[in-house]
Amino acid sequence: MAGAPRRGPALEGLRGYRLIVGMWIRSTMTYRTSFFLTTFGQAAITLLDFVAIYIMFSHVDALGGFTLPEIALLYGSCSASLGLADLLLGNTDRIGARIRDGSLDTMLVRPVPVLAQVAADRFALRRLGRIGQGLGVMGWAVWTLEVDWTAGKVLLVPVMVLAGAAIFGAVMVTGAAFQFVSGDAAEVQNSFTYGGCTMLQYPPTVFAKDLLRGVTFIVPLAFVNWLPALHVLGRPDPLGLPGWVAYLSPLVAFVVFLPASLAWRAGVRSYRSTGS
Amino acid sequence: MGLYLAVVAGGFRRYATYGTATAAGVFTNTVFGFIVAYTYIALWDERPGLGGYDQAQALTFVWVSQSLLAAAALIGGGFQEELQERIRTGDIAVDLYRPADLQMWWLAADLGRAGFQLAGRGVLPLVAGALAFPLALPADPLRWLLFLVSVLLALVVSFALRYMVGLVAFWLMDGAGINVMATVASIFFSGMLLPLTVFPGGFGEFVRTLPWAAMLQVPMDVLLGKHAGAGGAAEALGFQAGWALVLLGTGRLLQSAATRKVVVQGG
């Protein structure tokens, strides 16, 4: 059939995503004071985690053998990654509420992929607050640390933030898919994203080995920032992994999206409307 | 009085229907408990006795915090967003016609919510923590009783603050900004990030006099026996009760100023 050139579903999804995001940004900007307050507040809330670490360091010189700038690198990179994932995909956790109130049905009949609609749902530009704050702390860390910068290490820093965001994104999509089965269990997802980030802002030496194995080989959060950052800092991995695994983050991010997208498809296919 | 008790029961039952969400919350509180517990072990290994706590007491602080977090709405949640929504849509006009006091109504509903979350989301994480780490939980039943009274006062102080946050919607229309700022304050000044006794010098002394201290730090110290003797306990509970009265009173003033402002649009 001849006609307008067909766009692929991925492009179609991006276009839909962009349109919905634009709508939410315009709507947010109606209450401008509130927008600036929430963006600032979002940055302040996450910055307070760092203030707590700073207060800890008013009593100690090292935590788990790591100094304050070293922890700042971990803290800033994971905060920026999570913020980025949260900005782009964070509202997927609202799917449970959508399933419960039946408004997912409306999304299924629209000519835009459901994932794009769910991800753009109530797009929250205020989440720039967390990203900015994370990048700020990370910048301070990079400035203060005495690292033997090689080309590989310089490249590794931005790659770490982007791959980290992709890994968190995959966790969010998996969590959203899980809500098709579990109903409203958004908080389980939060344990892996926000909880994961709380863990990753401290050095791996603080935690039990079994926990480290779990977040390296099962839910590969260690690739978000621990492994790349340890390499940048020239420190050995407590699990004894070789140095080159630090560069695997993008590959890991790509690999974890496979089960995530399969889970999402299975979730959407199993969906039975509540009928309300 | 009977009316408000019914509202308390209603608040309790309403949250009791969210079974999956409660289970998810228990899971989350437990995961966070483990993460924070390991960081505290690293910190207290480095500095034993920091903030006046030994390591077992510090770990108790972590796990009891996780148990109180949802009940006292320390990281947000609770009723204030619902109140703001009613103000924004104008439904508040209906509430004002009810033969019940607005503030007491919401207090009763919030205590019901908190009661459920204390039981539903509070007990299991604490049990998990007690199984995995050596905690310093008291054996003295009187201490537990004092702790429960202190928790009740903490819930009232938490409510009184959030009630004012909710009422701000009468002036700002959209409450999202002020809600975030309120959450920032409660996370930092309640002792949830780090016990307030660890905060340095004069700043530490100052934050321990603020109302947020009454929401977590004080109940925790009552449980850990930091306020020794009848005088100490009376002082701790008196501090909480004082803030509860001041904040409830200020809330009432704000409420009467707000309700004078209400213009119900016909339609």
Side-chain angles (χ1 to χ4, degrees), chain A residues 31 33-35 37-38 40-42 44-45 48-49 51-53 55-65 100 126 182-192 194-196 198-199 202 206-208 211, chain B residues 18 20-29 31-32 34-36 38-44 46-47 50-51 88 121 172-178 180-181 183-185 187-188 193-194 197-200 203:
Chain A
Y31 298 109
T33 319
S34 212
F35 167 73
L37 271 178
T38 43
F40 174 75
Q42 199 87 27
I45 282 192
L48 287 183
D49 292 335
V51 173
I53 295 175
I55 291 176
M56 287 181 180
F57 273 88
S58 70
H59 298 282
V60 296
D61 297 324
L63 201 61
R100 209 176 46 228
R126 63 167 184 277
S182 69
D184 199 357
E187 281 210 63
V188 172
Q189 182 175 335
N190 290 348
S191 334
F192 289 102
Y194 292 87
T198 307
M199 182 176 66
Y202 292 96
V206 163
F207 298 97
L211 192 63
Chain B
Y18 298 124
T20 329
T22 307
V26 167
F27 180 75
T28 308
N29 290 142
V31 168
F32 271 92
F34 269 97
I35 294 168
V36 180
Y38 281 119
T39 65
Y40 276 30
I41 289 174
L43 187 60
W44 262 265
E46 199 82 17
R47 273 292 305 271
L50 179 63
R88 201 180 60 77
R121 286 183 63 164
L172 279 188
M173 293 314 288
D174 180 44
I178 193 83
V180 174
M181 300 315 289
T183 309
V184 170
I187 289 177
F188 194 63
L193 279 181
L194 210 55
T197 50
V198 175
F199 283 40
F203 180 62

Side-chain angles (χ1 to χ4, degrees), chain A residues 117-168:
Chain A
Q117 293 183 58
V118 171
D121 190 18
R122 300 204 177 183
F123 183 85
L125 198 60
R126 63 167 184 277
R127 286 172 170 156
L128 285 174
R130 183 196 285 271
I131 302 173
Q133 178 276 134
L135 289 177
V137 172
M138 198 174 86
W140 176 76
V142 169
W143 182 262
T144 318
L145 283 167
E146 284 169 26
V147 173
D148 282 332
W149 290 104
T150 60
K153 286 183 178 181
V154 170
L155 191 66
L156 198 52
V157 172
V159 166
M160 160 170 79
V161 173
L162 294 177
I167 293 172
F168 276 132

Side-chain angles (χ1 to χ4, degrees), chain B residues 98-193:
Chain B
R98 287 210 183 107
D101 180 75
L102 192 66
Q103 191 186 35
M104 286 302 117
W105 174 283
W106 284 102
L107 173 60
D110 196 52
L111 286 180
R113 175 199 63 79
F116 173 75
Q117 288 185 327
L118 201 57
R121 286 183 63 164
V123 177
L124 283 178
L126 186 57
V127 170
L131 290 176
F133 298 94
L135 301 189
L137 293 169
D140 178 9
L142 182 67
R143 185 95 67 76
W144 280 100
L145 189 68
L146 279 175
F147 171 67
L148 288 179
V149 175
S150 181
V151 168
L152 180 67
L153 288 167
L155 298 178
V156 176
V157 171
S158 163
F159 162 81
L161 264 177
R162 286 177 292 122
Y163 187 68
M164 288 192 272
V165 169
L167 288 180
V168 170
F170 272 109
W171 289 272
L172 279 188
M173 293 314 288
D174 180 44
I178 193 83
N179 293 351
V180 174
M181 300 315 289
T183 309
V184 170
S186 108
I187 289 177
F188 194 63
F189 294 119
S190 64
M192 209 193 81
L193 279 181

Side-chain angles (χ1 to χ4, degrees), chain A:
Chain A
M1 219 169 67
R6 268 176 57 86
R7 278 184 289 256
L11 273 180
E12 200 60 56
L14 275 180
R15 201 180 92 90
Y17 182 84
R18 210 185 61 227
L19 290 173
I20 303 170
V21 162
M23 180 193 78
W24 280 110
I25 291 178
R26 279 195 301 281
S27 130
T28 312
M29 287 303 169
T30 324
Y31 298 109
R32 211 166 278 257
T33 319
S34 212
F35 167 73
F36 288 118
L37 271 178
T38 43
T39 308
F40 174 75
Q42 199 87 27
I45 282 192
T46 45
L47 190 65
L48 287 183
D49 292 335
F50 191 66
V51 173
I53 295 175
Y54 189 82
I55 291 176
M56 287 181 180
F57 273 88
S58 70
H59 298 282
V60 296
D61 297 324
L63 201 61
F66 282 60
T67 63
L68 182 60
E70 287 178 310
I71 288 183
L73 180 69
L74 292 172
Y75 170 88
S77 59
C78 141
S79 203
S81 290
L82 180 62
L84 209 54
D86 226 2
L87 179 74
L88 298 176
L89 286 166
N91 286 324
T92 45
D93 69 353
R94 283 184 38 80
I95 188 120
R98 289 260 177 209
I99 293 172
R100 209 176 46 228
D101 68 16
S103 56
L104 187 65
D105 293 10
T106 339
M107 291 184 158
L108 287 169
V109 297
R110 288 192 197 128
V112 176
V114 185
L115 185 59
Q117 293 183 58
V118 171
D121 190 18
R122 300 204 177 183
F123 183 85
L125 198 60
R126 63 167 184 277
R127 286 172 170 156
L128 285 174
R130 183 196 285 271
I131 302 173
Q133 178 276 134
L135 289 177
V137 172
M138 198 174 86
W140 176 76
V142 169
W143 182 262
T144 318
L145 283 167
E146 284 169 26
V147 173
D148 282 332
W149 290 104
T150 60
K153 286 183 178 181
V154 170
L155 191 66
L156 198 52
V157 172
V159 166
M160 160 170 79
V161 173
L162 294 177
I167 293 172
F168 276 132
V171 172
M172 286 171 181
V173 172
T174 313
F178 177 59
Q179 290 196 35
F180 280 104
V181 191
S182 69
D184 199 357
E187 281 210 63
V188 172
Q189 182 175 335
N190 290 348
S191 334
F192 289 102
T193 52
Y194 292 87
C197 190
T198 307
M199 182 176 66
L200 295 173
Q201 72 195 28
Y202 292 96
T205 45
V206 163
F207 298 97
K209 282 269 167 61
D210 282 334
L211 192 63
L212 297 187
R213 286 188 194 102
V215 297
T216 307
F217 301 114
I218 301 172
V219 184
L221 293 178
F223 289 90
V224 168
N225 71 348
W226 271 349
L227 291 165
L230 287 176
H231 181 70
V232 168
L233 298 173
R235 283 172 174 273
D237 166 51
L239 292 182
L241 296 176
W244 52 264
V245 294
Y247 291 93
L248 290 185
S249 293
L251 185 66
V252 170
F254 181 72
V255 169
V256 288
F257 253 103
L258 290 175
S261 59
L262 287 178
W264 173 259
R265 270 159 212 240
V268 173
R269 221 172 283 145
S270 73
Y271 173 67
R272 297 275 178 278
S273 168
T274 53
S276 47

Side-chain angles (χ1 to χ4, degrees), chain B residues 228-242:
Chain B
E235 196 185 326
L237 300 183
F239 171 77
Q240 291 180 293

